[in-house]
Amino acid sequence: MKTIIYDQTMDLDKILKRNEDVRDDIRNAVLEIIKGVKTDGDAALLYYTKALDHCELTHLQVTEEEIQEAFDSVSESLLEIIREAAGNIRSFHEKQLETTWTYEPKPGVVLGQHITPIERVGLYVPGGKATYPSTVLMDSIPALVAGVQSLVMVTPPGKDGKVNPAILAAAKIAGVHEIYKIGGAQAIAALAYGTETIKPVNKIVGPGNIYVATAKKEVFGKVDIDMIAGPSEVLIIADKNANPVYAAADLLSQAEHDEMAMPIFVTTSEDLAKQVIEKVYRQINEDLGRKEIAKKSMDDFGFVFIVKDLDEAFELSNKIAPEHLELLIENPMDSLEKVRNAGAIFMGAYTPEPLGDYFAGPNHTLPTSGTAKFSSPLGVYDFIKKSSILSYDQNSLKNVYEKIAAFARSEGLDAHAKAVERRFEN
Amino acid sequence: MKTIIYDQTMDLDKILKRNEDVRDDIRNAVLEIIKGVKTDGDAALLYYTKALDHCELTHLQVTEEEIQEAFDSVSESLLEIIREAAGNIRSFHEKQLETTWTYEPKPGVVLGQHITPIERVGLYVPGGKATYPSTVLMDSIPALVAGVQSLVMVTPPGKDGKVNPAILAAAKIAGVHEIYKIGGAQAIAALAYGTETIKPVNKIVGPGNIYVATAKKEVFGKVDIDMIAGPSEVLIIADKNANPVYAAADLLSQAEHDEMAMPIFVTTSEDLAKQVIEKVYRQINEDLGRKEIAKKSMDDFGFVFIVKDLDEAFELSNKIAPEHLELLIENPMDSLEKVRNAGAIFMGAYTPEPLGDYFAGPNHTLPTSGTAKFSSPLGVYDFIKKSSILSYDQNSLKNVYEKIAAFARSEGLDAHAKAVERRFEN
């Protein structure tokens, strides 16, 4: 880990090696795949699955029998934990439900906002080493709470043509409607444009590798997408009384995700900082399952910032806009108003990040790479849309139509003016 | 206008000539401009403004004196109308404000959602023939209601280096914080990446031509953007008692926007359809200000659909997902639940679209080209973001930590399991 004395003029994006550029070779490969799927439909999906996933499929949709078989292969104790987590996730997201409202600003005038769910949504679930049933729950439950009628999951098959059983079990528990064995840019193209087997969706959510992310950006506009996910990050703000063992363990839970995951520790105490660094490397060497990944992440992307007080810690954190923010300080809830940019805020010594990753209820699909400056956790609000409601009676329009006509003519829009005037011509 | 007997198997995207593809030559030109602005900053802005807007600027920011001069040149009666419209827009959007909430699902557990405004937002306002002060109000007021601290407007200058005075007056009335005289892809690049003069923003909103739209899509990810706007559309559902003069006038208020604007009339009555078409062409020929544009739009993109009943009318409308939906039917509010996809819904004979374009309060920046299937009118919700709040006390975590550890290990994430376990080791 690199230790840095914070100074408010430093270029944090450079220090953190954040980079948003899309590589041209990747983009060209993705455009080729999208074109293939638009032209050849299912045949292209089978072709790319053979070429890229090394798997020869005969059918794309996962059958009820395959789902049941996978479900039966998962231990009852894990199923019970998944069910309890799903219940917590559902309860939290139900708090985000919005309903249609109208009001009467004046007699004869009704204005409002009509809420409807998005009809058909695609959910990308990565395969390989980053196959997480918890992500299936986190991405599907808000859509289902919102009222999405068709929730379609896609995930790449293994070479044996099978999908990870825990993924299928989580999808069954959540209530996903359709599942297809395709991944990569070809899956995103299929969801956006449709094929013989897969009907097109209105929105695509879920994390994926750089090909998936690039494909999502390309199809944006034809469909909506969620924010493009980068490497995972945690930023811990700790005062001098924080427990260095907990802090080190939480930094490592971030670091084990992948070699580009970013664990950041911010503290007012140089002494604590030294202890945390020492504990991090000790814990890595004790018995950590993914020790190589965690060590590389810590070495290359682990940062310790020394700040002069907590206000400066929050200033730094707001500039970085971390995906996960842990507050290992006294009375953390009192500092809520100081947080301006963060995906999720974990308050105090007994709210470690894995609690939010798996169980508590709030979403674990969060804005990464500083995008918390303008985006939010995945939520029910991502799966609904609004329509404005306007209703004026004759008298109400009569009172204002000349103003509307004058405003329209000032913009040179004569037919707009006439549309209101013709109502009162005689 | 083309008359079509609706049939639910028809390919509506093909009939309506909707097309979302980005042209490669435009994309390459835009990438070149973005690269130029990233490398050369202000110098690139001045260069492109000279090359593309034929205007040699000495400074980019509009001064207080220029704003005041523009303001003084607008008639007091128009200023008064703009102020009243701004007040209505502000009142409506204040209803969309959300506040931070927390709740206690169990003793010792607090969950919630923290609401914060996006800090710095860019607002693109087109120049030339599509210069609309009403759009300045509609795009800036929701941002200011949300609490955006820095709202930055960009708009291309005329050859004389000046900006349309009504635009500046509207910006002053709304309360925009900074204004720069730049347009096109170079303005989008400056907002996304910053230059010596212009600090980068977190989100860019507002309509623009194909270069602006393409640039917005390219910078998406570095900043957030609103939905990419296509040609404007209205769809009117009319029963046999609807007034054909009003319907024709409303279709024309859409058609005059530009030659690709799309006026769609849907009715159960073939007789009414004929009357409306007759009135449309009669009104065009009477004395319409933008008669050539309106006629071309009607000829090329005007559609009349005959349906067998109102249910079929709503089915068709939901498939098209129009930007503006007018219900010229009896008791339109009773049909609200039938509307699944629409930007704004105008209820009854005295709620014509221009009322919403200028005055009533709901936003006129609405999803076009079928994107109402997954997006919403511009609103306060576009200028805030959410952070999840989680807080568990020691006992609450103790009750569940073994389940979290088991779930984490099932995903192969050992350090996640250890992070909770270390809290209860002794």
Side-chain angles (χ1 to χ4, degrees), chain A residues 351-405:
Chain A
T351 317
E353 195 212 298
L355 169 65
D357 288 343
Y358 288 107
F359 206 77
N363 215 286
H364 83 196
T365 296
L366 296 168
T368 55
S369 308
T371 59
K373 288 178 187 168
F374 50 77
S375 59
S376 302
L378 195 70
V380 171
Y381 37 80
D382 287 303
F383 300 102
I384 58 117
K385 59 229 158 38
K386 290 138 184 161
S387 308
S388 303
I389 301 166
L390 299 91
S391 172
Y392 267 52
D393 67 9
Q394 185 174 15
N395 199 44
S396 301
L397 184 64
K398 195 174 181 183
N399 287 336
V400 298
Y401 85 96
E402 286 160 317
K403 295 175 189 172
I404 295 169

Side-chain angles (χ1 to χ4, degrees), chain B residues 7-297:
Chain B
D7 150 14
Q8 59 174 16
T9 63
M10 55 182 44
D11 182 344
L12 289 167
D13 281 346
K14 196 167 171 188
I15 291 169
L16 305 182
K17 295 172 251 182
R18 280 175 164 172
N19 185 353
E20 76 292 336
D21 288 342
V22 173
R23 275 169 44 198
D24 268 350
D25 56 336
I26 292 178
R27 184 171 179 275
N28 290 335
V30 163
L31 285 180
E32 187 69 28
I33 293 172
I34 292 175
K35 202 174 147 194
V37 174
K38 279 174 82 167
T39 312
D40 298 328
D42 285 349
L45 296 181
L46 296 174
Y47 169 81
Y48 287 118
T49 304
K50 188 174 171 190
L52 304 173
D53 297 319
H54 311 293
C55 168
E56 254 179 281
L57 292 177
T58 51
H59 60 288
L60 291 165
Q61 187 160 10
V62 178
T63 62
E64 279 304 316
E65 293 69 38
E66 287 177 286
I67 296 168
Q68 191 58 47
E69 192 188 329
F71 195 81
D72 294 341
S73 77
V74 177
S75 73
E76 188 49 44
S77 65
L78 184 58
L79 289 176
E80 208 35 66
I81 293 169
I82 293 176
R83 280 192 202 101
E84 189 173 344
N88 289 345
I89 296 165
R90 199 172 296 116
S91 296
F92 178 80
H93 287 85
E94 280 167 356
K95 301 267 175 198
Q96 293 177 336
L97 270 169
E98 294 173 72
T99 51
T100 294
W101 50 262
T102 57
Y103 73 113
E104 269 192 60
K106 284 178 192 173
V109 175
V110 178
L111 301 176
Q113 192 171 274
H114 182 45
I115 304 283
T116 47
I118 296 177
E119 257 173 64
R120 189 168 163 87
V121 170
L123 163 57
Y124 191 90
V125 177
K129 60 180 177 173
T131 300
Y132 299 137
S134 56
T135 300
V136 175
L137 302 182
M138 291 289 181
D139 290 1
S140 61
I141 292 171
L144 296 164
V145 168
V148 169
Q149 286 167 30
S150 306
L151 182 61
V152 185
M153 187 171 111
V154 294
T155 190
K159 287 179 194 170
D160 59 356
K162 293 198 172 180
V163 173
N164 178 310
I167 291 286
L168 295 181
K172 186 177 161 79
I173 287 171
V176 170
H177 304 114
E178 302 164 32
I179 308 175
Y180 299 93
K181 294 177 191 179
I182 41 165
Q186 60 274 24
I188 302 300
L191 290 171
Y193 294 101
T195 68
E196 300 88 328
T197 304
I198 302 172
K199 278 174 57 187
V201 301
N202 307 120
K203 179 161 186 167
I204 302 172
V205 302
N209 64 20
I210 184 70
Y211 290 89
V212 171
T214 304
K216 279 170 70 180
K217 188 167 166 174
E218 283 302 323
V219 301
F220 172 63
K222 167 70 180 160
V223 299
D224 195 16
I225 62 169
D226 61 346
M227 196 43 59
I228 290 162
S232 198
E233 309 154 326
V234 70
L235 185 149
I236 300 176
I237 295 179
D239 61 23
K240 65 181 187 333
N241 299 320
N243 185 321
V245 173
Y246 301 177
D250 296 353
L251 292 168
L252 282 170
S253 75
Q254 198 54 228
E256 76 169 338
H257 269 295
D258 67 75
E259 293 167 356
M260 289 178 73
M262 194 177 289
I264 303 172
F265 186 69
V266 179
T267 185
T268 49
S269 160
E270 282 197 60
D271 182 51
L272 178 69
K274 281 180 194 147
Q275 288 181 61
V276 167
I277 295 170
E278 189 265 325
K279 302 282 183 214
V280 160
Y281 286 96
R282 185 191 297 181
Q283 290 181 18
I284 287 180
N285 289 322
E286 269 171 18
D287 59 346
L288 206 66
R290 294 159 66 93
K291 131 181 344 193
E292 282 73 29
I293 295 170
K295 183 163 184 311
K296 188 136 177 54
S297 151

Side-chain angles (χ1 to χ4, degrees), chain A residues 27 84 96 113 134 217-218 250 253 256 289 340 342 345 358 385 387-388 403 411 414 416 423, chain B residues 27 84 96 113 134 217-218 250 253 256 289 340 342 345 358 385 387-388 403 411 414 416 423:
Chain A
R27 183 171 179 273
E84 190 173 342
Q96 294 177 335
Q113 190 170 276
S134 55
K217 187 167 167 175
E218 283 302 323
D250 294 354
S253 77
E256 76 169 339
R340 292 198 317 272
I345 311 162
Y358 288 107
K385 59 229 158 38
S387 308
S388 303
K403 295 175 189 172
E411 293 188 348
D414 185 40
H416 281 65
R423 263 93 175 163
Chain B
R27 184 171 179 275
E84 189 173 344
Q96 293 177 336
Q113 192 171 274
S134 56
K217 188 167 166 174
E218 283 302 323
D250 296 353
S253 75
E256 76 169 338
R340 292 198 316 271
I345 311 162
Y358 288 106
K385 60 232 160 31
S387 307
S388 303
K403 294 175 190 172
E411 292 187 347
D414 184 40
H416 281 64
R423 264 94 176 160

